[in-house]
Amino acid sequence: MSVPQTKAELLLAIDKNFSKLISYLNAIPPEVTSDKSMDGHAKGTEMSVCDLVSYLLGWNALVVKWITSDAKGLPVDIPHCIRSSVRPGRIWETTPQLTGRGRLLQRPECGHC
């Protein structure tokens, strides 16, 4: 999957992938949603569908908070670990171009990366 380069491409990718996710989630029988049947994000861990949805909702809340703060001119504190673990040197640095907002401020190296 290519990385969206414009706000329009980002919105299209969000719509497409969200629809796909909802379709997958709707196909899962409710009685297995708590089963730890998927690889977790950390090596050697497992997670359930419920865990995955919680994780995605948490990320969504963070991104909305960052964009809202930036729109109000408030500093945005994005930990370096998050930036480098997702896509080194790219994803969070290009978020302002994709959202059409101002700049996001990054923290210096955190020592955990």
Side-chain angles (χ1 to χ4, degrees):
M1 179 169 108
S2 63
V3 176
Q5 299 300 308
T6 66
K7 183 176 181 178
E9 289 176 1
L10 176 62
L11 292 172
L12 184 64
I14 289 169
D15 286 342
K16 177 183 172 186
N17 289 303
F18 183 76
S19 295
K20 221 190 284 191
L21 174 64
I22 293 301
S23 175
Y24 291 146
L25 292 174
N26 284 333
I28 299 169
E31 60 273 10
V32 299
T33 56
S34 294
D35 295 352
K36 304 255 183 210
S37 58
M38 299 182 292
D39 289 337
H41 297 292
K43 186 177 182 177
T45 64
E46 294 180 331
M47 66 179 175
S48 68
V49 172
C50 290
D51 295 333
L52 175 63
V53 171
S54 294
Y55 174 83
L56 294 173
L57 289 171
W59 268 106
N60 182 69
L62 272 176
V63 172
V64 168
K65 176 183 159 194
W66 294 334
I67 291 171
T68 301
S69 293
D70 184 62
K72 293 178 181 177
L74 300 172
V76 179
D77 188 21
I78 301 173
H80 179 268
C81 294
I82 294 172
R83 290 196 330 263
S84 63
S85 68
V86 176
R87 187 174 177 95
R90 283 270 310 167
I91 194 74
W92 302 115
E93 287 81 352
T94 60
T95 301
Q97 293 124 6
L98 296 177
T99 62
R101 301 282 183 180
R103 63 184 173 79
L104 294 179
L105 305 175
Q106 285 88 35
R107 282 172 50 172
E109 300 282 331
C110 66
H112 298 286
C113 307

